[in-house]
Amino acid sequence: MKIWKSLLIVLMIVASFAFAQPSFADRPKFSKNPDYIEVTKALNELTQTKDAQTQVEGLTPEEIQKRTEELTLQKYALETGINWGQCNNQTGNTIAVYGKRPNDEDDEDAVYDNGLYFLADGQSTKNNWDCDGIYLPNDVKVANFTSSPNGQGQELTGAAALKILDGTQLVIKTNPDNAAIELNVPTVKVLNSKEANWFIPDISQDIINTRVPNAPSN
């Protein structure tokens, strides 16, 4: 009787491992994520700059520290399996955002790698829906913009696509003094149609304001 009980326990343990194995196999391979590679490289460069006590043109030590902290959190988010970003619109206008289709299905007939959606003022994109970035209209500017962690702040004018890293909560606001938009993260990446298969039209903010908001939102 004891032998049968022992065999039953062994079988239960084996069965539990059999069911648990897929969960280990499905763990995200963050080290191969392009965002993770980019964040790690940028963080290493900033760390070396701090250790060598060298100055980065256009950046104060406080700004370097802020960017280092931001990248550290982004790196941790990617390591813990967060593979989506979120966009929060506080501009007073409708904005255009990039993201995957809500049903997360591959469409063989799709012309672009992701879709262009419209997010109403005061709305955030839905949790777990990956907001890849925002579209910058041809008559809108970004104040104190930089496209790399070691870059100097400058003014950016659309039309352009701005990509954010996974694990980022991007908040977009409008500066009341100059109408330029402000981003709460230190860096975003500017993309053009040659670098990414994204739809980047040459349109104004007024046209975007006429669109019906359709981005998955909270």
Side-chain angles (χ1 to χ4, degrees):
M1 191 68 176
K2 291 183 178 180
I3 295 176
W4 286 109
K5 287 184 177 180
S6 299
L7 288 174
L8 182 60
I9 293 173
V10 171
L11 288 173
M12 291 176 64
I13 294 174
V14 171
S16 66
F17 276 109
F19 284 107
Q21 188 173 0
S23 63
F24 288 107
D26 293 339
R27 291 181 64 183
K29 297 179 179 179
F30 60 84
S31 61
K32 296 182 179 180
N33 186 325
D35 285 353
Y36 183 80
I37 295 172
E38 183 176 347
V39 167
T40 301
K41 179 181 178 182
L43 186 58
N44 289 340
E45 291 176 354
L46 285 178
T47 301
Q48 291 173 3
T49 299
K50 290 177 60 179
D51 292 343
Q53 296 183 346
T54 57
Q55 288 293 109
V56 178
E57 184 179 358
L59 295 180
T60 65
E62 291 76 16
E63 289 173 329
I64 293 176
Q65 178 63 31
K66 181 179 179 180
R67 295 186 184 189
T68 301
E69 293 172 355
E70 173 69 22
L71 290 170
T72 299
L73 287 179
Q74 286 184 333
K75 184 172 182 286
Y76 174 76
L78 293 168
E79 289 173 342
T80 53
I82 298 178
N83 58 359
W84 54 279
Q86 187 173 56
C87 297
N88 184 325
N89 179 14
Q90 298 181 19
T91 63
N93 294 300
T94 298
I95 66 171
V97 300
Y98 292 97
K100 301 297 185 293
R101 294 168 182 79
N103 57 12
D104 201 27
E105 294 180 357
D106 292 330
D107 186 353
E108 295 180 356
D109 297 327
V111 178
Y112 300 100
D113 292 340
N114 55 17
L116 187 66
Y117 299 87
F118 301 98
L119 184 66
D121 177 47
Q123 296 291 315
S124 295
T125 52
K126 190 175 181 179
N127 292 349
N128 295 309
W129 183 77
D130 187 13
C131 180
D132 290 325
I134 65 172
Y135 168 76
L136 185 66
N138 58 21
D139 56 351
V140 175
K141 299 178 181 179
V142 180
N144 196 29
F145 170 81
T146 176
S147 60
S148 69
N150 297 341
Q152 183 176 357
Q154 58 185 346
E155 189 176 79
L156 173 69
T157 304
L162 307 182
K163 181 183 182 298
I164 63 173
L165 300 173
D166 288 343
T168 299
Q169 185 183 59
L170 178 67
V171 179
I172 310 101
K173 296 182 178 181
T174 299
N175 187 313
D177 296 328
N178 54 24
I181 67 170
E182 297 178 342
L183 310 177
N184 68 316
V185 296
T187 58
V188 293
K189 186 175 183 179
V190 181
L191 297 179
N192 57 47
S193 57
K194 295 181 180 179
E195 295 174 318
N197 188 27
W198 292 22
F199 178 53
I200 309 176
D202 187 13
I203 58 177
S204 67
Q205 179 62 51
D206 287 342
I207 296 298
I208 292 179
N209 285 338
T210 66
R211 301 296 90 189
V212 175
N214 63 347
S217 59
N218 291 327

